Protein backbone atom coordinates (compact mmCIF):
# COMPACT_ATOMS: atom_id res chain seq x y z
CA UNK A 1 0.00 0.00 0.00
CA UNK A 2 1.37 3.40 -0.95
CA UNK A 3 2.61 5.76 1.78
CA UNK A 4 0.03 8.48 2.39
CA UNK A 5 0.88 11.86 3.88
CA UNK A 6 -1.85 14.23 4.97
CA UNK A 7 -1.99 17.78 6.32
CA UNK A 8 -4.98 19.55 7.84
CA UNK A 9 -5.57 23.15 8.87
CA UNK A 10 -7.32 23.50 12.22
CA UNK A 11 -9.80 26.39 12.43
CA UNK A 12 -11.37 26.12 15.85
CA UNK A 13 -13.40 22.92 15.79
CA UNK A 14 -13.14 22.62 12.03
CA UNK A 15 -10.46 20.70 10.09
CA UNK A 16 -9.75 21.51 6.47
CA UNK A 17 -7.57 19.14 4.52
CA UNK A 18 -4.82 20.78 2.47
CA UNK A 19 -4.18 19.15 -0.88
CA UNK A 20 -0.57 18.30 -1.73
CA UNK A 21 0.97 19.16 -5.06
CA UNK A 22 4.00 17.65 -6.81
CA UNK A 23 4.20 20.33 -9.51
CA UNK A 24 7.83 21.43 -9.71
CA UNK A 25 8.74 19.72 -6.44
CA UNK A 26 11.12 17.05 -7.73
CA UNK A 27 12.99 19.62 -9.81
CA UNK A 28 13.53 21.70 -6.66
CA UNK A 29 14.33 18.93 -4.17
CA UNK A 30 17.94 18.48 -5.29
CA UNK A 31 18.68 22.15 -4.60
CA UNK A 32 16.75 22.04 -1.32
CA UNK A 33 18.80 19.07 -0.10
CA UNK A 34 22.08 20.53 -1.33
CA UNK A 35 21.45 23.73 0.64
CA UNK A 36 20.31 21.88 3.79
CA UNK A 37 21.03 18.12 3.76
CA UNK A 38 19.76 17.84 7.36
CA UNK A 39 16.26 17.73 5.83
CA UNK A 40 17.10 14.05 5.18
CA UNK A 41 17.04 13.42 8.92
CA UNK A 42 20.73 13.61 9.89
CA UNK A 43 23.71 15.88 9.53
CA UNK A 44 25.46 15.33 6.21
CA UNK A 45 28.19 17.03 4.22
CA UNK A 46 27.52 17.18 0.49
CA UNK A 47 30.69 16.21 -1.39
CA UNK A 48 29.39 16.13 -4.96
CA UNK A 49 26.43 16.93 -7.22
CA UNK A 50 25.75 15.25 -10.55
CA UNK A 51 28.81 13.06 -10.01
CA UNK A 52 29.83 11.17 -13.15
CA UNK A 53 30.34 7.45 -12.59
CA UNK A 54 32.76 5.23 -14.48
CA UNK A 55 29.78 3.75 -16.33
CA UNK A 56 28.41 7.02 -17.68
CA UNK A 57 25.72 7.64 -15.08
CA UNK A 58 25.23 10.74 -12.94
CA UNK A 59 24.65 10.53 -9.19
CA UNK A 60 22.34 13.34 -8.11
CA UNK A 61 24.03 13.99 -4.76
CA UNK A 62 26.90 12.35 -2.90
CA UNK A 63 27.44 13.04 0.81
CA UNK A 64 29.28 11.78 3.87
CA UNK A 65 28.11 11.60 7.47
CA UNK A 66 30.09 12.06 10.68
CA UNK A 67 31.45 8.49 10.45
CA UNK A 68 32.64 9.18 6.87
CA UNK A 69 30.15 6.68 5.45
CA UNK A 70 29.15 7.74 1.93
CA UNK A 71 25.49 8.48 1.13
CA UNK A 72 24.20 8.04 -2.41
CA UNK A 73 21.16 10.30 -2.80
CA UNK A 74 19.01 9.73 -5.89
CA UNK A 75 15.88 11.62 -6.89
CA UNK A 76 13.10 9.56 -8.43
CA UNK A 77 12.09 12.21 -10.97
CA UNK A 78 10.45 10.33 -13.88
CA UNK A 79 12.24 7.00 -13.43
CA UNK A 80 10.22 3.77 -13.53
CA UNK A 81 9.92 1.66 -10.33
CA UNK A 82 12.54 -0.85 -11.49
CA UNK A 83 14.88 1.87 -12.74
CA UNK A 84 14.95 3.98 -9.59
CA UNK A 85 15.97 1.11 -7.31
CA UNK A 86 18.30 -0.64 -9.77
CA UNK A 87 20.01 2.60 -10.70
CA UNK A 88 20.59 3.55 -7.04
CA UNK A 89 22.17 0.16 -6.33
CA UNK A 90 24.21 0.33 -9.54
CA UNK A 91 25.59 3.70 -8.49
CA UNK A 92 26.26 2.27 -5.05
CA UNK A 93 28.30 -0.58 -6.52
CA UNK A 94 30.55 1.99 -8.17
CA UNK A 95 30.78 4.24 -5.10
CA UNK A 96 31.86 1.22 -3.01
CA UNK A 97 35.02 0.96 -5.13
CA UNK A 98 36.14 4.52 -4.35
CA UNK A 99 39.06 5.09 -2.02
CA UNK A 100 39.88 8.08 0.15
CA UNK A 101 41.74 9.88 -2.64
CA UNK A 102 38.80 9.54 -5.04
CA UNK A 103 36.32 10.95 -2.50
CA UNK A 104 38.66 13.86 -1.78
CA UNK A 105 39.01 14.42 -5.55
CA UNK A 106 35.23 14.49 -6.05
CA UNK A 107 34.90 17.07 -3.28
CA UNK A 108 37.73 19.15 -4.73
CA UNK A 109 35.83 19.38 -8.03
CA UNK A 110 32.61 20.23 -6.20
CA UNK A 111 34.10 22.92 -3.92
CA UNK A 112 37.39 24.13 -5.42
CA UNK A 113 39.80 25.70 -2.96
CA UNK A 114 38.27 24.01 0.10
CA UNK A 115 39.89 20.93 1.64
CA UNK A 116 37.56 18.10 2.63
CA UNK A 117 39.28 17.97 6.03
CA UNK A 118 38.40 21.61 6.67
CA UNK A 119 34.80 21.23 5.51
CA UNK A 120 34.36 18.09 7.63
CA UNK A 121 35.52 19.82 10.81
CA UNK A 122 33.34 22.83 10.09
CA UNK A 123 30.30 20.60 9.59
CA UNK A 124 30.83 17.99 12.31
CA UNK A 125 33.30 19.61 14.72
CA UNK A 126 35.81 16.77 14.48
CA UNK A 127 38.70 15.40 12.45
CA UNK A 128 37.98 13.52 9.23
CA UNK A 129 38.32 9.80 10.10
CA UNK A 130 41.16 7.74 8.64
CA UNK A 131 38.54 5.44 7.19
CA UNK A 132 36.40 7.02 4.45
CA UNK A 133 33.70 5.13 2.57
CA UNK A 134 33.90 2.01 4.70
CA UNK A 135 30.11 1.73 4.24
CA UNK A 136 27.47 3.19 1.97
CA UNK A 137 23.89 4.34 2.54
CA UNK A 138 21.34 4.66 -0.28
CA UNK A 139 18.48 7.15 -0.19
CA UNK A 140 15.80 7.54 -2.85
CA UNK A 141 14.07 10.92 -2.68
CA UNK A 142 10.54 11.06 -4.04
CA UNK A 143 7.20 12.81 -3.86
CA UNK A 144 5.58 9.40 -4.24
CA UNK A 145 6.43 5.85 -5.29
CA UNK A 146 4.39 2.88 -6.41
CA UNK A 147 3.81 -0.31 -4.44
CA UNK A 148 6.43 -2.24 -6.47
CA UNK A 149 9.20 0.16 -5.42
CA UNK A 150 8.04 0.00 -1.80
CA UNK A 151 8.09 -3.78 -1.91
CA UNK A 152 11.60 -3.92 -3.37
CA UNK A 153 13.06 -1.39 -0.92
CA UNK A 154 11.50 -3.07 2.12
CA UNK A 155 12.74 -6.46 0.91
CA UNK A 156 16.33 -5.21 0.53
CA UNK A 157 16.32 -3.24 3.79
CA UNK A 158 14.41 -5.50 6.15
CA UNK A 159 15.37 -8.94 4.80
CA UNK A 160 18.95 -8.33 3.65
CA UNK A 161 20.03 -5.41 5.84
CA UNK A 162 21.00 -3.22 2.87
CA UNK A 163 20.77 0.40 4.06
CA UNK A 164 18.42 1.62 1.34
CA UNK A 165 15.36 3.73 2.04
CA UNK A 166 12.89 6.09 0.44
CA UNK A 167 12.24 9.55 1.88
CA UNK A 168 9.02 11.17 0.74
CA UNK A 169 8.49 14.89 0.43
CA UNK A 170 5.13 16.50 -0.23
CA UNK A 171 4.52 20.14 -1.08
CA UNK A 172 1.52 21.88 0.52
CA UNK A 173 0.18 25.38 -0.20
CA UNK A 174 -2.24 27.13 2.11
CA UNK A 175 -3.32 30.77 2.12
CA UNK A 176 -0.15 31.94 0.39
CA UNK A 177 2.23 29.88 2.58
CA UNK A 178 4.20 26.85 1.33
CA UNK A 179 5.08 23.82 3.45
CA UNK A 180 7.29 20.80 2.88
CA UNK A 181 6.51 17.58 4.77
CA UNK A 182 8.75 14.50 5.09
CA UNK A 183 8.32 10.86 5.98
CA UNK A 184 10.26 7.61 5.49
CA UNK A 185 9.23 4.34 3.91
CA UNK A 186 11.22 2.28 6.44
CA UNK A 187 11.51 3.67 9.96
CA UNK A 188 14.63 5.82 9.65
CA UNK A 189 16.26 4.96 12.99
CA UNK A 190 15.95 1.26 12.17
CA UNK A 191 18.14 1.41 9.09
CA UNK A 192 21.11 -0.91 9.30
CA UNK A 193 24.54 -0.03 8.01
CA UNK A 194 26.72 -2.84 6.76
CA UNK A 195 29.89 -3.62 8.68
CA UNK A 196 32.94 -2.61 6.66
CA UNK A 197 34.72 -5.48 4.99
CA UNK A 198 38.38 -6.31 5.35
CA UNK A 199 39.05 -5.31 1.76
CA UNK A 200 37.17 -2.09 2.32
CA UNK A 201 39.52 -1.08 5.13
CA UNK A 202 42.49 -1.39 2.82
CA UNK A 203 41.16 0.89 0.12
CA UNK A 204 39.42 3.49 2.31
CA UNK A 205 42.07 4.13 4.94
CA UNK A 206 44.70 6.74 4.18
CA UNK A 207 48.05 4.96 3.78
CA UNK A 208 50.93 5.55 6.21
CA UNK A 209 54.24 6.57 4.66
CA UNK A 210 56.19 4.54 7.23
CA UNK A 211 58.02 7.58 8.58
CA UNK A 212 55.79 10.30 10.01
CA UNK A 213 54.33 10.30 13.52
CA UNK A 214 52.01 12.58 15.41
CA UNK A 215 53.22 13.40 18.93
CA UNK A 216 51.12 15.17 21.54
CA UNK A 217 53.15 17.31 23.94
CA UNK A 218 50.76 17.76 26.85
CA UNK A 219 51.90 20.71 28.91
CA UNK A 220 51.09 21.26 32.59
CA UNK A 221 52.09 24.15 34.89
CA UNK A 222 53.86 21.92 37.40
CA UNK A 223 55.10 19.28 34.99
CA UNK A 224 55.88 19.33 31.27
CA UNK A 225 56.98 22.51 29.46
CA UNK A 226 57.31 22.81 25.67
CA UNK A 227 60.00 25.46 26.15
CA UNK A 228 62.23 22.66 27.50
CA UNK A 229 61.47 20.28 24.65
CA UNK A 230 62.06 22.97 22.03
CA UNK A 231 65.34 24.20 23.59
CA UNK A 232 66.93 20.87 24.44
CA UNK A 233 65.41 18.59 21.78
CA UNK A 234 63.00 16.04 23.23
CA UNK A 235 59.37 14.99 23.62
CA UNK A 236 58.05 13.24 26.70
CA UNK A 237 55.01 11.69 28.33
CA UNK A 238 54.15 9.70 31.41
CA UNK A 239 52.15 9.40 34.59
CA UNK A 240 50.44 6.23 33.40
CA UNK A 241 51.16 3.29 31.10
CA UNK A 242 48.51 4.56 28.68
CA UNK A 243 50.53 7.75 28.11
CA UNK A 244 53.98 6.22 27.77
CA UNK A 245 53.25 3.03 25.79
CA UNK A 246 52.76 4.73 22.41
CA UNK A 247 55.84 6.91 22.93
CA UNK A 248 57.86 3.70 22.98
CA UNK A 249 56.79 2.99 19.37
CA UNK A 250 59.02 5.79 18.08
CA UNK A 251 62.31 4.62 16.57
CA UNK A 252 65.48 6.41 15.48
CA UNK A 253 64.99 8.05 12.09
CA UNK A 254 61.25 8.57 12.48
CA UNK A 255 59.93 12.05 11.78
CA UNK A 256 57.64 13.57 14.41
CA UNK A 257 55.05 16.31 14.05
CA UNK A 258 54.59 17.69 17.56
CA UNK A 259 51.32 19.27 18.63
CA UNK A 260 50.35 20.95 21.89
CA UNK A 261 46.68 20.05 22.51
CA UNK A 262 44.31 23.01 21.97
CA UNK A 263 47.27 25.13 20.81
CA UNK A 264 48.60 23.71 17.56
CA UNK A 265 51.67 22.23 15.90
CA UNK A 266 54.94 23.54 17.26
CA UNK A 267 57.72 21.33 15.91
CA UNK A 268 58.90 18.85 13.30
CA UNK A 269 62.03 16.82 13.85
CA UNK A 270 63.87 13.51 13.59
CA UNK A 271 63.97 10.96 16.41
CA UNK A 272 67.54 10.25 17.54
CA UNK A 273 66.99 7.32 19.90
CA UNK A 274 64.31 5.13 21.46
CA UNK A 275 62.26 6.17 24.50
CA UNK A 276 63.89 5.90 27.91
CA UNK A 277 62.91 6.84 31.43
CA UNK A 278 63.33 10.56 31.84
CA UNK A 279 65.95 10.19 34.56
CA UNK A 280 67.96 7.91 32.22
CA UNK A 281 67.52 9.94 29.02
CA UNK A 282 70.16 11.96 27.23
CA UNK A 283 69.86 14.62 24.53
CA UNK A 284 72.27 16.17 22.09
CA UNK A 285 73.14 19.52 23.68
CA UNK A 286 75.95 21.78 22.48
CA UNK A 287 77.30 18.92 20.39
CA UNK A 288 77.51 16.32 23.15
CA UNK A 289 75.22 13.82 24.88
CA UNK A 290 73.85 15.36 28.06
CA UNK A 291 71.62 13.85 30.74
CA UNK A 292 68.19 15.46 30.63
CA UNK A 293 67.87 15.72 34.39
CA UNK A 294 71.20 17.61 34.53
CA UNK A 295 69.83 20.48 32.43
CA UNK A 296 68.20 23.64 33.87
CA UNK A 297 64.64 22.65 32.98
CA UNK A 298 61.55 24.76 33.60
CA UNK A 299 59.36 21.70 34.15
CA UNK A 300 59.66 19.09 36.89
CA UNK A 301 58.94 15.76 35.05
CA UNK A 302 58.67 13.96 38.38
CA UNK A 303 56.44 10.99 37.73
CA UNK A 304 57.65 8.25 40.03
CA UNK A 305 58.03 4.85 38.41
CA UNK A 306 56.68 1.58 39.79
CA UNK A 307 58.38 -1.78 39.36
CA UNK A 308 57.27 -1.89 35.71
CA UNK A 309 58.02 1.82 35.08
CA UNK A 310 54.40 2.27 34.02
CA UNK A 311 53.96 5.60 35.77
CA UNK A 312 57.38 7.05 35.05
CA UNK A 313 58.00 9.97 32.71
CA UNK A 314 59.55 8.79 29.44
CA UNK A 315 61.46 10.90 26.93
CA UNK A 316 62.56 10.63 23.29
CA UNK A 317 65.46 12.78 21.98
CA UNK A 318 64.65 14.73 18.81
CA UNK A 319 66.70 16.84 16.43
CA UNK A 320 64.41 19.68 15.39
CA UNK A 321 64.05 20.56 11.74
CA UNK A 322 61.79 23.41 12.74
CA UNK A 323 60.39 24.34 16.15
CA UNK A 324 58.48 27.39 17.36
CA UNK A 325 57.28 28.73 20.75
CA UNK A 326 53.87 27.59 21.91
CA UNK A 327 52.48 31.11 21.37
CA UNK A 328 53.07 30.64 17.64
CA UNK A 329 51.45 27.20 17.49
CA UNK A 330 49.99 26.45 14.04
CA UNK A 331 46.50 25.04 13.56
CA UNK A 332 43.93 24.85 10.78
CA UNK A 333 40.48 23.20 10.90
CA UNK A 334 40.62 19.61 9.73
CA UNK A 335 44.14 18.91 10.95
CA UNK A 336 44.88 15.69 12.81
CA UNK A 337 44.77 15.40 16.59
CA UNK A 338 44.71 12.27 18.73
CA UNK A 339 44.36 11.33 22.38
CA UNK A 340 47.45 9.12 22.24
CA UNK A 341 50.89 10.58 22.95
CA UNK A 342 52.19 9.11 19.68
CA UNK A 343 50.26 7.87 16.66
CA UNK A 344 51.07 7.10 13.03
CA UNK A 345 50.39 10.25 11.04
CA UNK A 346 48.36 9.17 8.02
CA UNK A 347 46.66 12.52 7.49
CA UNK A 348 48.35 13.99 4.40
CA UNK A 349 46.41 17.21 4.81
CA UNK A 350 48.11 17.81 8.17
CA UNK A 351 51.55 16.93 6.80
CA UNK A 352 51.07 19.30 3.87
CA UNK A 353 49.75 22.19 5.95
CA UNK A 354 52.47 21.97 8.61
CA UNK A 355 55.20 21.51 6.02
CA UNK A 356 54.07 24.61 4.16
CA UNK A 357 53.73 26.68 7.34
CA UNK A 358 57.17 25.63 8.58
CA UNK A 359 58.84 25.98 5.18
CA UNK A 360 59.91 22.33 4.95
CA UNK A 361 61.28 21.22 1.59
CA UNK A 362 59.36 17.91 1.50
Amino acid sequence: MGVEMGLWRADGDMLTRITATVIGLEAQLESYIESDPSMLGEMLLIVGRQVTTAHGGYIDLLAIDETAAVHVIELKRDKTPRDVTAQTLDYGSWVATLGRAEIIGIFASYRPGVALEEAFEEQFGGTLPDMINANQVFTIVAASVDTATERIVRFLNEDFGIPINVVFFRHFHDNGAAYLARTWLVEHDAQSVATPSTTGKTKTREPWNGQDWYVSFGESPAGRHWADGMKYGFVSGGGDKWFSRTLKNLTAGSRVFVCIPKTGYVGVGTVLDEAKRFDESTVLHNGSATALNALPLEGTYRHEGDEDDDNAEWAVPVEWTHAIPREQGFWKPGMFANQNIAAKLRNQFTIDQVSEAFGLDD
Side-chain angles (χ1 to χ4, degrees), residues 215 217 226 229 233-237 247 250 256 258 314-318 320:
V215 172
F217 197 99
W226 168 244
F234 71 89
V235 294
S236 70
L247 202 63
L250 300 178
V256 291
V258 181
W314 288 71
V316 174
V318 177
W320 297 119

Side-chain angles (χ1 to χ4, degrees), residues 143-159:
S144 63
V145 295
D146 58 281
T147 56
T149 301
E150 287 186 34
R151 187 170 60 251
I152 294 168
V153 170
R154 288 187 184 278
F155 175 68
L156 293 172
N157 190 307
E158 297 171 355
D159 291 3

Side-chain angles (χ1 to χ4, degrees), residues 8-26:
W8 286 260
R9 183 180 68 248
D11 298 311
D13 295 333
M14 298 293 294
L15 291 178
T16 302
R17 181 160 185 163
I18 302 171
T19 303
T21 176
V22 297
I23 298 175
L25 175 59
E26 290 191 339

Side-chain angles (χ1 to χ4, degrees), residues 60-82:
D60 290 330
L61 291 168
L62 208 60
I64 59 174
D65 60 28
E66 62 181 350
T67 71
V70 173
H71 290 241
V72 177
I73 303 164
E74 271 300 298
L75 275 69
K76 175 179 174 287
R77 299 194 204 298
D78 56 355
K79 302 181 183 76
T80 66
R82 289 180 182 272

Side-chain angles (χ1 to χ4, degrees), residues 285-299:
H285 181 58
N286 292 331
S288 62
T290 306
L292 258 181
N293 58 7
L295 293 168
L297 303 172
E298 295 182 17

